[in-house]
Amino acid sequence: MEKNVEFKSKGVTLRGVLNIPDGAGPHPLLVMAGGWCYVKEIVMPTYAAELAAIGCATLRFDYRGFGESDGDRRQHIDPWAQIEDYRNALSYAATLDGIDSERLGVWGISYSGGHALILPAIDARIRCAVSIIPVIDGYESMRLVHGYGKGRFAKLEKALAEDRERRARGEAEQLIPHNVPDPDQALCTWPFTTSYKFFSSAAETFAPNYQGRSTMESTELLMQYSVNDYLRRNLNTPIQMLVVEGDEHTPWDLQVDAFNKIGSVRKELSVMQKVTHIGLYSQKDFQIEAAKRNARFVSEHLVKR
């Protein structure tokens, strides 16, 4: 059973979808949120369905400033505000009838995949975490994906500095595209043509609330973001990291290195082959396979706990 819900995060009303499995509760629950500019209609329903099938409830929501959620500063991505939204979603979930407040967890993908590695290190209520194709280090990701030798990274840094100067003068902040048709001709945050094709199609079909842009400061904040200081704190929480082999979008070498730093004795690295980062969104068979792998891990470490 699914129903629309809303809850407060720092006084802002956030909106989401609660999926409660069939059968007697109380059920465990995973809080789910998306990556760069995502709204709750992007990929999360597939994962929620597979989790419901094993008896795990989910709460997928739009961050403040995105989709159906309130927030005066639209399309602004502050990773620590997003992490705060996750934590307030957990607090809301703990109050719900039919939910076991002692069996709560988090699920994240791409940018929120990084959040799912930080959250169990700072919130003792989290009993299980699933991190899919995560962003590990924003600076290194931007340097690698923009191509240091091509000059795009230097242009990005220059644009961020100019935007900071504009904001200091009280001028209107600038927006930057999520992705563009030709990253060599126009600046964007994630310079992948496959990403542009998928998200453009999503906006035209199943995710009309998606807007392919963010504040320029969002990218500046991304370049200050890293999960590395939190990995060794995760000693007791079961953590699954699911990656695609050779991922260039959220660099694969950073992900494997991060996994090896996680302190938990109950961790799993699940590697998918013959699919790309964006393929995990656009190809439904791979999306379902990833969701089934998540469900198996969650069943063992949260549902049967």
Side-chain angles (χ1 to χ4, degrees):
M1 178 188 72
E2 289 197 340
K3 66 176 182 177
N4 296 329
V5 297
E6 59 181 49
F7 58 95
K8 296 288 188 181
S9 182
K10 292 290 188 178
V12 178
T13 299
L14 307 187
R15 296 181 176 87
V17 176
L18 178 66
N19 186 321
I20 302 288
D22 295 332
H27 300 286
L29 180 143
L30 289 186
V31 171
M32 312 174 77
W36 197 263
C37 295
Y38 295 14
V39 289
K40 62 186 177 298
E41 292 77 23
I42 294 176
V43 307
M44 285 176 266
T46 299
Y47 291 86
E50 292 295 333
L51 290 164
I54 55 127
C56 184
T58 55
L59 170 59
R60 59 187 190 269
F61 72 95
D62 289 330
Y63 297 116
R64 69 185 81 177
F66 285 85
E68 294 180 328
S69 289
D70 292 348
D72 293 335
R73 195 177 184 188
R74 307 302 294 179
Q75 301 301 123
H76 179 62
I77 305 172
D78 180 334
W80 285 101
Q82 292 185 341
I83 287 168
E84 180 69 14
D85 289 347
Y86 259 103
R87 300 183 77 180
N88 290 316
L90 286 163
S91 296
Y92 168 71
T95 69
L96 296 173
D97 292 338
I99 298 301
D100 185 351
S101 62
E102 295 299 317
R103 289 187 295 161
L104 299 176
V106 292
W107 176 102
I109 187 167
S110 198
Y111 205 10
S112 67
H115 303 349
L117 297 173
I118 293 173
L119 279 156
I122 63 174
D123 197 318
R125 298 172 298 173
I126 294 169
R127 300 289 191 261
C128 182
V130 174
S131 171
I132 303 176
I133 48 177
V135 172
I136 300 300
D137 183 290
Y139 178 84
E140 285 300 312
S141 293
M142 290 292 97
R143 187 177 66 84
L144 290 168
V145 304
H146 281 276
Y148 197 74
K150 299 182 75 171
R152 286 196 316 223
F153 183 66
K155 290 178 182 177
L156 178 65
E157 288 191 307
K158 183 173 184 291
L160 296 179
E162 289 172 347
D163 182 69
R164 174 165 283 278
E165 292 298 316
R166 278 191 294 268
R167 286 186 279 117
R169 293 192 297 266
E171 299 174 13
E173 66 181 353
Q174 301 296 301
L175 297 174
I176 183 172
H178 179 176
N179 35 59
V180 293
D182 186 350
D184 288 324
Q185 299 300 318
L187 199 63
C188 64
T189 302
W190 295 98
F192 295 92
T193 56
T194 52
S195 177
Y196 177 79
K197 291 175 183 177
F198 170 77
F199 284 101
S200 296
S201 175
E204 294 170 358
T205 53
F206 60 87
N209 287 330
Y210 163 79
Q211 297 181 40
R213 60 186 182 275
S214 64
T215 65
M216 189 75 78
E217 188 184 3
S218 300
T219 305
E220 184 179 57
L221 292 171
L222 168 64
M223 290 176 61
Q224 300 167 23
Y225 175 86
S226 175
V227 308
N228 284 304
D229 288 343
Y230 299 90
L231 298 173
R232 295 196 186 280
R233 296 189 195 179
N234 291 320
L235 297 174
N236 302 316
T237 308
I239 296 175
Q240 182 189 50
M241 184 189 291
L242 187 148
V243 301
V244 297
E245 188 173 34
D247 194 343
E248 296 177 346
H249 202 114
T250 50
W252 140 270
D253 57 330
L254 302 182
Q255 294 167 344
V256 174
D257 181 62
F259 177 80
N260 289 331
K261 292 176 182 176
I262 295 172
S264 177
V265 295
R266 291 174 290 173
K267 64 179 181 178
E268 176 184 291
L269 181 65
S270 183
V271 181
M272 294 189 66
Q273 298 176 317
K274 300 180 180 179
V275 63
T276 64
H277 184 104
I278 295 300
L280 207 56
Y281 300 90
S282 61
Q283 296 174 254
K284 195 62 178 287
D285 54 342
F286 283 110
Q287 194 179 121
I288 291 172
E289 170 62 22
K292 288 184 180 296
R293 293 190 188 194
N294 289 172
R296 179 193 53 76
F297 186 84
V298 171
S299 176
E300 178 182 354
H301 293 286
L302 190 67
V303 176
K304 297 177 181 178
R305 182 177 178 273

